[in-house]
């Protein structure tokens, strides 16, 4: 088991033109920070968001890995859309976000990861700084909350429970994202 640190560089503005993103994921072993840099992977993504709130992305995950990983290289394509239900972003339940995509590798079941799988997510903003979401990753069903504790600090916290359908073999477990 491992946790991870992600460093990425983005090029461009997704609202103005196509934006590129390169990520390096460093998988930390359970023994902690002493394993920094020993395991990881390299990812690429191109994405564009149109003025109407529809976006498209193409990506390659785990293109290059070092130190061993249990995730196969993955290619994906995804379309996302934002729906406005109320005129102001500050109003509760004013936005819904839906994503639908296809991919191989990590977007397929553990038993069939040489095939093409579908993935999807739905998120609803509860408050200006908090949203709830559900997602199907192709092998896990996940539900969670995402919030920004302080508007002046660019920090997002995302607690969730994954593998709710018990299809990934490990059973439901808590995951936490901080970014």
């Amino acid at each position: 088991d491992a946790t991870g640190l992600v460093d990425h560089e983005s090029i461009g503005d997704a609202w103005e033109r196509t934006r590129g993103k390169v990520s390096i994921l460093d998988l930390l072993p359970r023994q902690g920070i002493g394993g920094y840099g020993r395991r990881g992977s390299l990812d690429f993504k191109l994405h564009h968001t149109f003025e109407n709130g529809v976006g498209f992305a193409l990506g390659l995950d785990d293109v290059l890995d070092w130190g061993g990983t249990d995730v196969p290289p993955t290619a994906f394509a995804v379309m996302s859309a934002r729906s406005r239900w109320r005129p102001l972003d500050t109003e509760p339940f004013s936005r819904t976000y839906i994503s639908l995509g296809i991919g191989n590798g990590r977007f397929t079941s553990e038993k069939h990861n040489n095939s093409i799988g579908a993935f999807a997510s739905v998120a609803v903003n509860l408050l200006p700084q908090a949203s709830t979401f559900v997602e199907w990753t192709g092998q896990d069903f996940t539900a969670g909350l995402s919030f920004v504790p302080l508007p002046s600090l660019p920090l997002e916290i995302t607690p969730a429970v994954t593998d709710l359908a018990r299809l990934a073999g490990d059973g439901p477990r808590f995951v936490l994202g901080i970014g």
Side-chain angles (χ1 to χ4, degrees), residues 38-173:
R38 292 185 183 160
R39 292 178 57 209
S41 69
L42 183 64
D43 307 331
F44 299 97
K45 181 172 75 169
L46 290 174
H47 57 99
H48 184 82
T49 303
F50 297 94
E51 287 184 29
N52 64 0
V54 174
F56 295 93
L58 297 172
L60 298 170
D61 287 350
D62 301 298
V63 175
L64 174 67
D65 72 74
W66 59 92
T69 179
D70 62 353
V71 180
T74 299
F76 66 90
V78 62
M79 182 187 87
S80 299
R82 177 191 65 220
S83 297
R84 294 175 182 246
W85 301 103
R86 299 178 190 217
L88 300 175
D89 286 343
T90 56
E91 295 180 78
F93 305 101
S94 61
R95 304 285 182 271
T96 303
Y97 303 87
I98 298 172
S99 294
L100 299 170
I102 59 169
N104 64 356
R106 70 180 176 98
F107 296 112
T108 61
S109 73
E110 290 182 351
K111 296 176 184 170
H112 302 100
N113 67 14
N114 289 328
S115 62
I116 301 292
F119 59 94
S121 67
V122 176
V124 177
N125 77 313
L126 303 173
L127 301 167
Q129 295 168 239
S131 298
T132 186
F133 67 91
V134 294
E135 66 181 8
W136 170 253
T137 66
Q139 63 177 265
D140 288 331
F141 179 66
T142 303
L145 178 69
S146 186
F147 63 95
V148 176
L150 301 169
S152 61
L153 182 65
L155 177 71
E156 182 176 5
I157 300 173
T158 307
V161 177
T162 193
D163 198 15
L164 292 169
R166 298 178 182 270
L167 297 174
D170 300 325
R173 57 202 174 276

Side-chain angles (χ1 to χ4, degrees), residues 1-6 24-30 32-41 62 65-71:
D1 289 337
T3 57
L5 297 175
V6 177
I24 298 174
L25 173 63
D26 186 14
L27 299 170
L28 296 175
R30 280 191 170 191
I33 201 77
Y36 186 76
R38 292 185 183 160
R39 292 178 57 209
S41 69
D62 301 298
D65 72 74
W66 59 92
T69 179
D70 62 353
V71 180

